Amino acid sequence: MATAAAEQPGRSDQADENAMRRAIALAARALGATSPNPVVGCVITDASGTVVGEGFHQRAGGPHAEVHALRDAGDKARGGTAYVTLEPCNHTGRTGPCAQALIDAGIARVHYAVGDPNPQATGGADTLRAAGIEVTQGLLEAEAAAGNAAWLTSVRLHRPYVLLKYAATLDGRIAAADGTSRWISSADSRADVHRLRAEADAVVVGSGTLRADDPHLAVRGIVGAVQPLRVVLDTNATIEAGARVLDDAAPTLIAVAEDAKTDLPGVLRLPRAVTGLDVNALLGELYDRGVRSVLLEGGPTLAGAFVAAGAVDKVVGYLAPVLLGAGPAALADAGITTIADALRLDVTETVRIGPDLRITAVPTASKER
């Protein structure tokens, strides 16, 4: 693979990585706001390697990252290099093809991190090469793919990406024996959860959490956040009219069993499962509604159902320096009866959040997707 250092006199591999890393950071600014589109960042440098333009895809239907960056760069883009986190698109949808925009701007080189798996949009690299532009793929590919994991997963699996979040004591309890749970985790951890909500298209809880906590589920404390869809899995339609999740702070979808009796308008009816509702049917319906990422905030029963369905892509646990010794565990029955069948995880990050420890992990099998 050719490198920018070979293509541009005086340009170093480190400078190329810095430009792409900046593009990845730009893309992350729009997490939770672009679905069903991906998050994408772009940095433009002029012929001497100086950054002259930056941009990111801000919302579905709006200009793509390359267009924002090219507008920022103006005439300085001619003869320069574009660093893009995702292969420039090659089709006309609500916006024109980014590959053609780069050609028209006189860009001489394009480095993109991740190939586009969407069959409707792929082919941009070939179009650029046919126009005489030098193109390389793979610069900081793993970092860019991690930042776009939700969209990439949804394209490949045709379902939303699912992040399971929980807060527990060091001995794995999410509540005391008498059911009390406020607050196990710290205010810092609870604020961090609002960031997770802001980055998700939908937040899902079950009826048990609804009855126990009457959660609100809307994002608070994050300026400009797009409110996620609040989804309540209420198999037997037990939700009461005064539930906080029914207010107008964010959109709400109540999912009930096909045979449930309810007068609530606009409910989503789903097949029953052994316990609760069919997880895969739910994810299929959410995908059809444009949801590409789900934050699972329900209790242990809901978490167990998603694990049993093989529908958890990431786990974020907030562990508080507290011991209870009794009370419900973070995960209920997930259909695992022997250690050989345990869901093995790869820890990707550990961070102190106030007095708590936030652990992020992904199923080892997800590396092969």
Side-chain angles (χ1 to χ4, degrees), residues 289-326:
R289 293 168 184 248
V291 171
R292 296 296 180 263
S293 59
V294 164
L295 175 62
L296 197 62
E297 283 204 53
T301 300
L302 189 64
F306 272 75
V307 170
V312 171
D313 301 293
K314 180 185 285 189
V315 178
V316 175
Y318 296 86
L319 299 184
V322 176
L323 296 176
L324 283 173

mmCIF file of all heavy atoms in Angstrom, residues 289-326:
data_model
loop_
_atom_site.group_PDB
_atom_site.id
_atom_site.type_symbol
_atom_site.label_atom_id
_atom_site.label_comp_id
_atom_site.label_asym_id
_atom_site.label_seq_id
_atom_site.Cartn_x
_atom_site.Cartn_y
_atom_site.Cartn_z
ATOM 1 N N ARG A 289 -37.398 1.126 11.296
ATOM 2 C CA ARG A 289 -37.738 2.505 11.645
ATOM 3 C C ARG A 289 -36.517 3.428 11.633
ATOM 4 O O ARG A 289 -36.605 4.574 12.053
ATOM 5 C CB ARG A 289 -38.402 2.542 13.034
ATOM 6 C CG ARG A 289 -39.770 1.865 13.074
ATOM 7 C CD ARG A 289 -40.249 1.656 14.503
ATOM 8 N NE ARG A 289 -41.512 0.918 14.530
ATOM 9 C CZ ARG A 289 -42.679 1.410 14.906
ATOM 10 N NH1 ARG A 289 -42.762 2.665 15.324
ATOM 11 N NH2 ARG A 289 -43.775 0.673 14.895
ATOM 12 N N GLY A 290 -35.395 2.928 11.162
ATOM 13 C CA GLY A 290 -34.196 3.744 11.050
ATOM 14 C C GLY A 290 -33.287 3.731 12.254
ATOM 15 O O GLY A 290 -32.283 4.449 12.288
ATOM 16 N N VAL A 291 -33.606 2.920 13.260
ATOM 17 C CA VAL A 291 -32.770 2.831 14.458
ATOM 18 C C VAL A 291 -31.558 1.958 14.151
ATOM 19 O O VAL A 291 -31.697 0.827 13.704
ATOM 20 C CB VAL A 291 -33.561 2.230 15.639
ATOM 21 C CG1 VAL A 291 -32.643 1.939 16.815
ATOM 22 C CG2 VAL A 291 -34.677 3.179 16.052
ATOM 23 N N ARG A 292 -30.376 2.518 14.393
ATOM 24 C CA ARG A 292 -29.141 1.787 14.114
ATOM 25 C C ARG A 292 -28.345 1.475 15.387
ATOM 26 O O ARG A 292 -27.388 0.716 15.335
ATOM 27 C CB ARG A 292 -28.265 2.580 13.137
ATOM 28 C CG ARG A 292 -28.921 2.761 11.758
ATOM 29 C CD ARG A 292 -29.111 1.435 11.061
ATOM 30 N NE ARG A 292 -29.732 1.546 9.763
ATOM 31 C CZ ARG A 292 -31.026 1.369 9.518
ATOM 32 N NH1 ARG A 292 -31.854 1.088 10.537
ATOM 33 N NH2 ARG A 292 -31.512 1.461 8.297
ATOM 34 N N SER A 293 -28.716 2.066 16.507
ATOM 35 C CA SER A 293 -28.021 1.775 17.763
ATOM 36 C C SER A 293 -29.013 1.797 18.910
ATOM 37 O O SER A 293 -29.879 2.665 18.979
ATOM 38 C CB SER A 293 -26.899 2.780 18.015
ATOM 39 O OG SER A 293 -27.392 4.098 18.085
ATOM 40 N N VAL A 294 -28.863 0.835 19.804
ATOM 41 C CA VAL A 294 -29.765 0.679 20.948
ATOM 42 C C VAL A 294 -28.945 0.655 22.228
ATOM 43 O O VAL A 294 -27.926 -0.055 22.310
ATOM 44 C CB VAL A 294 -30.587 -0.621 20.825
ATOM 45 C CG1 VAL A 294 -31.222 -0.995 22.160
ATOM 46 C CG2 VAL A 294 -31.654 -0.482 19.748
ATOM 47 N N LEU A 295 -29.382 1.426 23.218
ATOM 48 C CA LEU A 295 -28.817 1.360 24.566
ATOM 49 C C LEU A 295 -29.798 0.586 25.425
ATOM 50 O O LEU A 295 -30.940 1.013 25.625
ATOM 51 C CB LEU A 295 -28.586 2.763 25.129
ATOM 52 C CG LEU A 295 -28.115 2.832 26.583
ATOM 53 C CD1 LEU A 295 -26.764 2.139 26.752
ATOM 54 C CD2 LEU A 295 -28.046 4.280 27.052
ATOM 55 N N LEU A 296 -29.365 -0.539 25.928
ATOM 56 C CA LEU A 296 -30.213 -1.397 26.752
ATOM 57 C C LEU A 296 -30.024 -1.008 28.206
ATOM 58 O O LEU A 296 -28.969 -1.233 28.792
ATOM 59 C CB LEU A 296 -29.833 -2.861 26.526
ATOM 60 C CG LEU A 296 -30.818 -3.938 26.969
ATOM 61 C CD1 LEU A 296 -32.118 -3.819 26.206
ATOM 62 C CD2 LEU A 296 -30.198 -5.310 26.764
ATOM 63 N N GLU A 297 -31.069 -0.391 28.795
ATOM 64 C CA GLU A 297 -30.985 0.085 30.184
ATOM 65 C C GLU A 297 -31.920 -0.673 31.110
ATOM 66 O O GLU A 297 -32.162 -0.245 32.229
ATOM 67 C CB GLU A 297 -31.306 1.589 30.241
ATOM 68 C CG GLU A 297 -30.191 2.482 29.775
ATOM 69 C CD GLU A 297 -30.296 3.882 30.362
ATOM 70 O OE1 GLU A 297 -30.397 4.016 31.590
ATOM 71 O OE2 GLU A 297 -30.271 4.834 29.568
ATOM 72 N N GLY A 298 -32.474 -1.759 30.632
ATOM 73 C CA GLY A 298 -33.404 -2.510 31.460
ATOM 74 C C GLY A 298 -32.709 -3.293 32.562
ATOM 75 O O GLY A 298 -31.491 -3.215 32.749
ATOM 76 N N GLY A 299 -33.489 -4.086 33.267
ATOM 77 C CA GLY A 299 -32.970 -4.867 34.377
ATOM 78 C C GLY A 299 -32.396 -6.194 33.937
ATOM 79 O O GLY A 299 -32.188 -6.446 32.740
ATOM 80 N N PRO A 300 -32.141 -7.096 34.888
ATOM 81 C CA PRO A 300 -31.473 -8.363 34.583
ATOM 82 C C PRO A 300 -32.274 -9.297 33.682
ATOM 83 O O PRO A 300 -31.688 -10.040 32.897
ATOM 84 C CB PRO A 300 -31.253 -8.987 35.964
ATOM 85 C CG PRO A 300 -32.239 -8.307 36.869
ATOM 86 C CD PRO A 300 -32.387 -6.929 36.333
ATOM 87 N N THR A 301 -33.603 -9.251 33.767
ATOM 88 C CA THR A 301 -34.417 -10.128 32.911
ATOM 89 C C THR A 301 -34.290 -9.724 31.451
ATOM 90 O O THR A 301 -34.096 -10.567 30.567
ATOM 91 C CB THR A 301 -35.890 -10.084 33.345
ATOM 92 O OG1 THR A 301 -36.002 -10.525 34.705
ATOM 93 C CG2 THR A 301 -36.733 -10.990 32.460
ATOM 94 N N LEU A 302 -34.385 -8.437 31.189
ATOM 95 C CA LEU A 302 -34.254 -7.947 29.817
ATOM 96 C C LEU A 302 -32.842 -8.200 29.300
ATOM 97 O O LEU A 302 -32.660 -8.635 28.156
ATOM 98 C CB LEU A 302 -34.583 -6.460 29.758
ATOM 99 C CG LEU A 302 -34.703 -5.850 28.356
ATOM 100 C CD1 LEU A 302 -35.867 -6.458 27.601
ATOM 101 C CD2 LEU A 302 -34.864 -4.335 28.448
ATOM 102 N N ALA A 303 -31.839 -7.937 30.124
ATOM 103 C CA ALA A 303 -30.454 -8.191 29.715
ATOM 104 C C ALA A 303 -30.251 -9.659 29.370
ATOM 105 O O ALA A 303 -29.620 -9.997 28.360
ATOM 106 C CB ALA A 303 -29.504 -7.765 30.826
ATOM 107 N N GLY A 304 -30.804 -10.549 30.198
ATOM 108 C CA GLY A 304 -30.681 -11.971 29.932
ATOM 109 C C GLY A 304 -31.321 -12.377 28.621
ATOM 110 O O GLY A 304 -30.783 -13.220 27.886
ATOM 111 N N ALA A 305 -32.466 -11.779 28.302
ATOM 112 C CA ALA A 305 -33.147 -12.105 27.043
ATOM 113 C C ALA A 305 -32.310 -11.702 25.838
ATOM 114 O O ALA A 305 -32.227 -12.434 24.847
ATOM 115 C CB ALA A 305 -34.506 -11.404 27.002
ATOM 116 N N PHE A 306 -31.662 -10.541 25.914
ATOM 117 C CA PHE A 306 -30.834 -10.086 24.798
ATOM 118 C C PHE A 306 -29.571 -10.934 24.677
ATOM 119 O O PHE A 306 -29.142 -11.256 23.562
ATOM 120 C CB PHE A 306 -30.483 -8.606 24.960
ATOM 121 C CG PHE A 306 -31.506 -7.681 24.371
ATOM 122 C CD1 PHE A 306 -32.724 -7.465 25.006
ATOM 123 C CD2 PHE A 306 -31.266 -7.016 23.185
ATOM 124 C CE1 PHE A 306 -33.684 -6.614 24.470
ATOM 125 C CE2 PHE A 306 -32.195 -6.160 22.628
ATOM 126 C CZ PHE A 306 -33.410 -5.954 23.270
ATOM 127 N N VAL A 307 -28.974 -11.304 25.801
ATOM 128 C CA VAL A 307 -27.794 -12.173 25.748
ATOM 129 C C VAL A 307 -28.175 -13.528 25.169
ATOM 130 O O VAL A 307 -27.468 -14.084 24.326
ATOM 131 C CB VAL A 307 -27.167 -12.322 27.147
ATOM 132 C CG1 VAL A 307 -26.086 -13.409 27.140
ATOM 133 C CG2 VAL A 307 -26.566 -10.994 27.601
ATOM 134 N N ALA A 308 -29.302 -14.076 25.602
ATOM 135 C CA ALA A 308 -29.752 -15.367 25.096
ATOM 136 C C ALA A 308 -30.006 -15.326 23.601
ATOM 137 O O ALA A 308 -29.794 -16.327 22.894
ATOM 138 C CB ALA A 308 -31.019 -15.801 25.835
ATOM 139 N N ALA A 309 -30.438 -14.160 23.099
ATOM 140 C CA ALA A 309 -30.718 -14.012 21.670
ATOM 141 C C ALA A 309 -29.457 -13.728 20.861
ATOM 142 O O ALA A 309 -29.518 -13.605 19.635
ATOM 143 C CB ALA A 309 -31.729 -12.887 21.457
ATOM 144 N N GLY A 310 -28.313 -13.625 21.526
ATOM 145 C CA GLY A 310 -27.075 -13.313 20.826
ATOM 146 C C GLY A 310 -27.061 -11.911 20.264
ATOM 147 O O GLY A 310 -26.454 -11.648 19.219
ATOM 148 N N ALA A 311 -27.741 -10.996 20.951
ATOM 149 C CA ALA A 311 -27.949 -9.648 20.421
ATOM 150 C C ALA A 311 -27.321 -8.569 21.290
ATOM 151 O O ALA A 311 -27.864 -7.480 21.419
ATOM 152 C CB ALA A 311 -29.450 -9.384 20.257
ATOM 153 N N VAL A 312 -26.177 -8.862 21.887
ATOM 154 C CA VAL A 312 -25.436 -7.847 22.641
ATOM 155 C C VAL A 312 -24.078 -7.664 21.984
ATOM 156 O O VAL A 312 -23.310 -8.624 21.838
ATOM 157 C CB VAL A 312 -25.269 -8.247 24.115
ATOM 158 C CG1 VAL A 312 -24.316 -7.298 24.827
ATOM 159 C CG2 VAL A 312 -26.621 -8.260 24.816
ATOM 160 N N ASP A 313 -23.782 -6.433 21.566
ATOM 161 C CA ASP A 313 -22.542 -6.143 20.847
ATOM 162 C C ASP A 313 -21.484 -5.487 21.721
ATOM 163 O O ASP A 313 -20.297 -5.531 21.400
ATOM 164 C CB ASP A 313 -22.842 -5.226 19.655
ATOM 165 C CG ASP A 313 -23.838 -5.852 18.700
ATOM 166 O OD1 ASP A 313 -23.485 -6.864 18.073
ATOM 167 O OD2 ASP A 313 -24.975 -5.346 18.589
ATOM 168 N N LYS A 314 -21.898 -4.869 22.808
ATOM 169 C CA LYS A 314 -20.961 -4.233 23.730
ATOM 170 C C LYS A 314 -21.606 -4.188 25.104
ATOM 171 O O LYS A 314 -22.823 -4.068 25.224
ATOM 172 C CB LYS A 314 -20.598 -2.817 23.270
ATOM 173 C CG LYS A 314 -19.618 -2.096 24.195
ATOM 174 C CD LYS A 314 -19.380 -0.644 23.778
ATOM 175 C CE LYS A 314 -18.496 -0.540 22.577
ATOM 176 N NZ LYS A 314 -18.105 0.885 22.309
ATOM 177 N N VAL A 315 -20.768 -4.273 26.131
ATOM 178 C CA VAL A 315 -21.233 -4.184 27.509
ATOM 179 C C VAL A 315 -20.471 -3.061 28.201
ATOM 180 O O VAL A 315 -19.240 -2.984 28.102
ATOM 181 C CB VAL A 315 -21.008 -5.505 28.273
ATOM 182 C CG1 VAL A 315 -21.467 -5.370 29.722
ATOM 183 C CG2 VAL A 315 -21.735 -6.658 27.582
ATOM 184 N N VAL A 316 -21.201 -2.179 28.867
ATOM 185 C CA VAL A 316 -20.588 -1.134 29.677
ATOM 186 C C VAL A 316 -21.123 -1.287 31.096
ATOM 187 O O VAL A 316 -22.321 -1.118 31.334
ATOM 188 C CB VAL A 316 -20.900 0.274 29.144
ATOM 189 C CG1 VAL A 316 -20.342 1.340 30.098
ATOM 190 C CG2 VAL A 316 -20.299 0.467 27.755
ATOM 191 N N GLY A 317 -20.231 -1.634 32.011
ATOM 192 C CA GLY A 317 -20.629 -1.808 33.402
ATOM 193 C C GLY A 317 -20.001 -0.753 34.285
ATOM 194 O O GLY A 317 -18.796 -0.486 34.191
ATOM 195 N N TYR A 318 -20.815 -0.120 35.122
ATOM 196 C CA TYR A 318 -20.333 0.849 36.108
ATOM 197 C C TYR A 318 -20.292 0.133 37.449
ATOM 198 O O TYR A 318 -21.336 -0.205 38.016
ATOM 199 C CB TYR A 318 -21.264 2.053 36.175
ATOM 200 C CG TYR A 318 -21.321 2.851 34.895
ATOM 201 C CD1 TYR A 318 -22.202 2.508 33.872
ATOM 202 C CD2 TYR A 318 -20.491 3.954 34.696
ATOM 203 C CE1 TYR A 318 -22.260 3.234 32.688
ATOM 204 C CE2 TYR A 318 -20.543 4.693 33.518
ATOM 205 C CZ TYR A 318 -21.421 4.330 32.522
ATOM 206 O OH TYR A 318 -21.475 5.053 31.348
ATOM 207 N N LEU A 319 -19.097 -0.127 37.952
ATOM 208 C CA LEU A 319 -18.932 -0.864 39.196
ATOM 209 C C LEU A 319 -18.634 0.111 40.325
ATOM 210 O O LEU A 319 -17.633 0.840 40.283
ATOM 211 C CB LEU A 319 -17.816 -1.892 39.071
ATOM 212 C CG LEU A 319 -18.009 -2.981 38.007
ATOM 213 C CD1 LEU A 319 -16.871 -3.981 38.077
ATOM 214 C CD2 LEU A 319 -19.351 -3.685 38.175
ATOM 215 N N ALA A 320 -19.507 0.111 41.316
ATOM 216 C CA ALA A 320 -19.351 1.011 42.460
ATOM 217 C C ALA A 320 -18.621 0.295 43.589
ATOM 218 O O ALA A 320 -18.795 -0.918 43.785
ATOM 219 C CB ALA A 320 -20.718 1.482 42.942
ATOM 220 N N PRO A 321 -17.795 1.005 44.365
ATOM 221 C CA PRO A 321 -17.082 0.395 45.490
ATOM 222 C C PRO A 321 -18.025 0.161 46.665
ATOM 223 O O PRO A 321 -17.928 0.789 47.725
ATOM 224 C CB PRO A 321 -15.990 1.425 45.807
ATOM 225 C CG PRO A 321 -16.577 2.736 45.380
ATOM 226 C CD PRO A 321 -17.425 2.424 44.170
ATOM 227 N N VAL A 322 -18.965 -0.750 46.460
ATOM 228 C CA VAL A 322 -20.024 -1.052 47.427
ATOM 229 C C VAL A 322 -20.203 -2.564 47.463
ATOM 230 O O VAL A 322 -20.076 -3.234 46.447
ATOM 231 C CB VAL A 322 -21.359 -0.385 47.003
ATOM 232 C CG1 VAL A 322 -22.487 -0.769 47.953
ATOM 233 C CG2 VAL A 322 -21.221 1.126 46.913
ATOM 234 N N LEU A 323 -20.523 -3.106 48.630
ATOM 235 C CA LEU A 323 -20.846 -4.522 48.774
ATOM 236 C C LEU A 323 -22.235 -4.658 49.382
ATOM 237 O O LEU A 323 -22.581 -3.941 50.319
ATOM 238 C CB LEU A 323 -19.821 -5.231 49.662
ATOM 239 C CG LEU A 323 -18.379 -5.286 49.140
ATOM 240 C CD1 LEU A 323 -17.473 -5.928 50.192
ATOM 241 C CD2 LEU A 323 -18.301 -6.051 47.828
ATOM 242 N N LEU A 324 -23.038 -5.579 48.847
ATOM 243 C CA LEU A 324 -24.372 -5.825 49.383
ATOM 244 C C LEU A 324 -24.539 -7.260 49.884
ATOM 245 O O LEU A 324 -25.190 -7.506 50.890
ATOM 246 C CB LEU A 324 -25.433 -5.532 48.317
ATOM 247 C CG LEU A 324 -25.741 -4.052 48.063
ATOM 248 C CD1 LEU A 324 -26.678 -3.899 46.875
ATOM 249 C CD2 LEU A 324 -26.358 -3.421 49.302
ATOM 250 N N GLY A 325 -23.990 -8.216 49.141
ATOM 251 C CA GLY A 325 -24.074 -9.607 49.591
ATOM 252 C C GLY A 325 -25.362 -10.311 49.233
ATOM 253 O O GLY A 325 -25.432 -11.532 49.229
ATOM 254 N N ALA A 326 -26.412 -9.547 48.948
ATOM 255 C CA ALA A 326 -27.689 -10.128 48.548
ATOM 256 C C ALA A 326 -28.368 -9.146 47.606
ATOM 257 O O ALA A 326 -27.970 -7.987 47.493
ATOM 258 C CB ALA A 326 -28.568 -10.411 49.756
#
